[in-house]
Amino acid sequence: MSRPPGPPELPEAVATRRSRWRMQVVWLVPLVAVLIGGWLAVKAILEQGPTVTISFETGEGLEAGKTKLKFKNVDIGVVKSVTLSGDHRNVVATAELTKDATGLLVDDTRFWVVRPRISGGTVSGIGTLISGSFIGMDVGSSPKARRDYVGLESPPVFASGVPGREFVLKGDDMGSLDIGSPIYFRRLQVGQVTSYKLDANGKGVTMHVFVNAPYDKYVQSDTRFWQASGVDVSLDATGVKINTQSLVAILIGGLAFQTPDNSVDGPEVEASTEFTLFSDKTEAMKRHDNIVDNYVLNFKESVRGLTVGAPVDFLGIVVGEVSGIHTRFDPVTKQFSIPVDIKLFPERFTSRFASGPAGGRLANDADRQQLAQTLVDHGLRAQLRTGNLLTGQLYVALDFFPNAPKAKVDWSSNPPAWPTVAGGLQSLQDSVTTLIAKLNKIPFEAIGNDAHQTLRDADALLKRLDTEVAPQAAQTLAAAKTALDSANNALQPDSALAQNTGDAMKELARTAAAFRALADYLERHPEALIRGKLEDKK
């Protein structure tokens, strides 16, 4: 029998020593992967931007991994974490920025959260209703780098680099102003309020305003700023005047500025120059005199309706204003008086002398006192007068009263006391008081007693007339009636007296005719008075 064939014989393996430095091909793949990963890691490290921390009062609108940082509406980073500060008072947002944003992180760079906001008449951040809030950024100009910031609670009114200048305003109160409130120049909006704060002494507020170029060149040393909020209504001899800057100023307030037309054109002022903020345009554009003389006016009448700032008028020209109203008690006379302090502007009052064409100013106190006393000697006095019948407002009038008692300016007091006279209403009241005093001196009671006695005597007289005179008067009247009846009967046409009277009249008529005939004859023959009638001689 033959055996089946078996498996073929394998060749015998011969062991060969492998080289220690020989690399297998299979390891090339992970090595390449490691190299690529390392290169990517190095590249990521090299391209990694800076990390900044921004502190906010609240974390509203901030979300780690989602909230973007934007500059000029371009994404430059993202918020990586939002945590509380160590004292738990603020929220700290840590953000990573792109590498090309490193140069933007300087000392005066500003950050704020952009969210829907209505402020100062402007609406911003409406787009975030859909896209969500983000952190806005405004780059400063400082050369110093920085990595930690305190974020703004509201966006800045203007971005860095905007042409224009910022100024400082000092006022009594804010009125209806807010950050972003507009600033007007000749009714054109040229700027806005950037910030405000209460003064350290609590007696006013300080505001920073920004005026855009090229309008900032119109801000000069004599420029006046005033509150342009609401509607300014004035009533004068020409009627009712209503002034306002715009509808926005009526609703949210605003500021306005202008340089008086009579001011000398000066150079542009530097940025951060401080100005006074006036309450209205009238107050702002009033002439501000450099020379001021202070006087006091002592009144002994009511000053109701007189306020600080009321004008001092001289023949229709405003030459000063009331600066203070006080009360004073004189322990000697036991009387009260009302001292009214006034500011007198001599440049308005006597800027020129009438005797010379060139004129001149009152250079020293001696000239001022001499002129003041001369005017007082001629009757110049201060008097309270009604400036508005509707409101009862008073003003101080300087006018001449030739019949006023002699007086002098009391230069020994500080300020000097100018003599006064009572106002028109006070004079009328004094006259009425004097009249009443004279009436009180009339003995009305004695006169009444005399009148009562007279009435009693008259009553007795009437009784006597009724009892004694009246009967006799009745008899006399009866007799008179009888005589009148007789006379009436005698005057009847058919009475004997009437007939006899008619005959007598006829005889008188015939006699008169005879006399006329005789007179005519004698006129023709005057010799008949001697010779007689010719017919008789024949």
Side-chain angles (χ1 to χ4, degrees):
M1 276 175 99
S2 63
R3 287 184 172 180
E9 293 182 1
L10 295 175
E12 184 177 357
V14 179
T16 305
R17 184 180 296 272
R18 187 175 61 179
S19 176
R20 181 179 297 180
W21 304 104
R22 186 176 181 183
M23 180 180 294
Q24 300 294 330
V25 177
V26 69
W27 293 105
L28 292 177
V29 175
L31 180 60
V32 172
V34 170
L35 292 176
I36 294 175
W39 176 78
L40 292 175
V42 172
K43 181 180 180 181
I45 294 174
L46 294 176
E47 292 181 354
Q48 183 179 9
T51 300
V52 296
T53 57
I54 309 171
S55 175
F56 295 101
E57 291 186 1
T58 177
E60 180 184 359
L62 300 178
E63 189 174 356
K66 292 184 178 181
T67 304
K68 304 292 185 179
L69 275 75
K70 294 186 178 183
F71 176 65
K72 295 185 180 295
N73 209 27
V74 176
D75 292 346
I76 60 172
V78 63
V79 174
K80 291 300 183 179
S81 65
V82 179
T83 60
L84 291 174
S85 62
D87 56 4
H88 299 166
R89 294 184 178 181
N90 298 311
V91 174
V92 179
T94 303
E96 291 184 1
L97 278 66
T98 59
K99 184 177 181 180
D100 55 359
T102 304
L104 304 178
L105 302 176
V106 294
D107 187 61
D108 52 352
T109 295
R110 298 176 290 182
F111 294 90
W112 67 94
V113 178
V114 179
R115 58 174 70 97
R117 189 185 307 272
I118 300 176
S119 176
T122 59
V123 180
S124 60
I126 297 298
T128 59
L129 293 174
I130 300 176
S131 62
S133 300
F134 62 89
I135 297 178
M137 178 181 179
D138 179 52
V139 180
S141 58
S142 174
K144 182 180 178 181
R146 185 175 175 180
R147 291 295 183 268
D148 58 321
Y149 297 89
V150 176
L152 304 176
E153 292 305 313
S154 58
V157 178
F158 63 96
S160 300
V162 174
R165 281 177 292 170
E166 192 174 33
F167 303 101
V168 180
L169 304 183
K170 293 281 189 177
D172 294 332
D173 55 62
M174 281 292 298
S176 57
L177 300 175
D178 196 1
I179 295 177
S181 295
I183 299 176
Y184 297 93
F185 175 70
R186 299 191 181 277
R187 299 186 186 274
L188 296 175
Q189 184 173 346
V190 298
Q192 53 278 323
V193 177
T194 60
S195 64
Y196 60 86
K197 66 176 181 179
L198 184 68
D199 292 344
N201 57 11
K203 295 183 179 180
V205 293
T206 300
M207 282 175 280
H208 291 261
V209 299
F210 186 81
V211 179
N212 301 319
Y215 306 104
D216 58 336
K217 66 181 180 181
Y218 300 113
V219 180
Q220 302 176 358
S221 58
D222 197 28
T223 297
R224 318 286 172 81
F225 287 82
W226 68 87
Q227 295 262 12
S229 306
V231 180
D232 182 13
V233 181
S234 60
L235 175 64
D236 55 19
T238 60
V240 179
K241 295 181 179 179
I242 301 177
N243 296 317
T244 184
Q245 293 295 327
S246 69
L247 181 60
V248 175
I250 295 177
L251 297 177
I252 65 171
L255 297 175
F257 71 89
Q258 187 175 335
T259 303
D261 295 335
N262 56 358
S263 297
V264 179
D265 292 338
E268 301 177 18
V269 296
E270 298 294 333
S272 301
T273 300
E274 186 175 300
F275 293 90
T276 300
L277 178 61
F278 297 94
S279 59
D280 52 47
K281 182 177 181 180
T282 302
E283 179 68 20
M285 300 306 290
K286 282 198 320 185
R287 179 177 175 181
H288 296 269
D289 297 80
N290 297 324
I291 303 177
V292 179
D293 292 336
N294 295 310
Y295 292 93
V296 62
L297 311 175
N298 293 308
F299 293 102
K300 295 185 178 180
E301 57 188 293
S302 174
V303 295
R304 182 180 180 86
L306 185 68
T307 59
V308 175
V312 178
D313 182 282
F314 174 69
L315 301 180
I317 301 175
V318 177
V319 296
E321 63 181 19
V322 175
S323 58
I325 303 175
H326 315 280
T327 58
R328 180 183 298 164
F329 177 74
D330 190 347
V332 178
T333 61
K334 307 298 182 182
Q335 292 181 349
F336 281 96
S337 61
I338 309 297
V340 175
D341 296 329
I342 65 170
K343 293 181 179 180
L344 200 64
F345 309 125
E347 290 182 310
R348 303 186 196 180
F349 191 67
T350 51
S351 61
R352 291 178 179 270
F353 291 110
S355 59
R361 300 185 182 276
L362 300 178
N364 51 55
D365 291 340
D367 294 338
R368 179 169 62 93
Q369 294 181 11
Q370 180 180 0
L371 178 60
Q373 189 57 53
T374 301
L375 295 175
V376 170
D377 292 340
H378 284 78
L380 186 65
R381 301 290 188 272
Q383 184 186 50
L384 291 177
R385 293 181 181 176
T386 302
N388 192 314
L389 295 177
L390 296 178
T391 61
Q393 292 180 339
L394 299 179
Y395 69 96
V396 177
L398 297 177
D399 206 344
F400 289 96
F401 298 88
N403 298 326
K406 297 295 183 181
K408 292 184 178 296
V409 179
D410 186 5
W411 299 103
S412 61
S413 64
N414 187 22
W418 195 282
T420 63
V421 295
L425 293 178
Q426 184 65 30
S427 299
L428 178 61
Q429 182 178 353
D430 295 341
S431 300
V432 172
T433 303
T434 303
L435 178 60
I436 293 175
K438 292 182 179 180
L439 292 176
N440 290 333
K441 294 181 180 179
I442 299 176
F444 289 104
E445 184 176 359
I447 293 175
N449 294 333
D450 294 342
H452 185 66
Q453 183 64 35
T454 302
L455 291 175
R456 285 187 295 182
D457 295 342
D459 185 61
L461 178 60
L462 290 175
K463 289 181 179 179
R464 291 187 60 188
L465 290 175
D466 186 48
T467 56
E468 298 178 5
V469 177
Q472 296 179 3
Q475 295 176 1
T476 303
L477 290 175
K481 184 177 183 301
T482 302
L484 290 175
D485 291 340
S486 299
N488 187 29
N489 293 331
L491 293 176
Q492 293 295 325
D494 55 351
S495 65
L497 178 60
Q499 292 178 359
N500 294 333
T501 302
D503 294 340
M505 294 300 293
K506 291 178 182 179
E507 289 297 332
L508 288 175
R510 285 196 293 269
T511 303
F515 273 109
R516 277 199 305 272
L518 177 60
D520 292 340
Y521 181 80
L522 291 176
E523 185 177 1
R524 291 192 304 271
H525 304 283
E527 69 277 6
L529 292 174
I530 300 175
R531 299 178 180 180
K533 287 186 178 181
L534 296 178
E535 292 84 1
D536 293 338
K537 289 182 178 182
K538 290 181 178 182

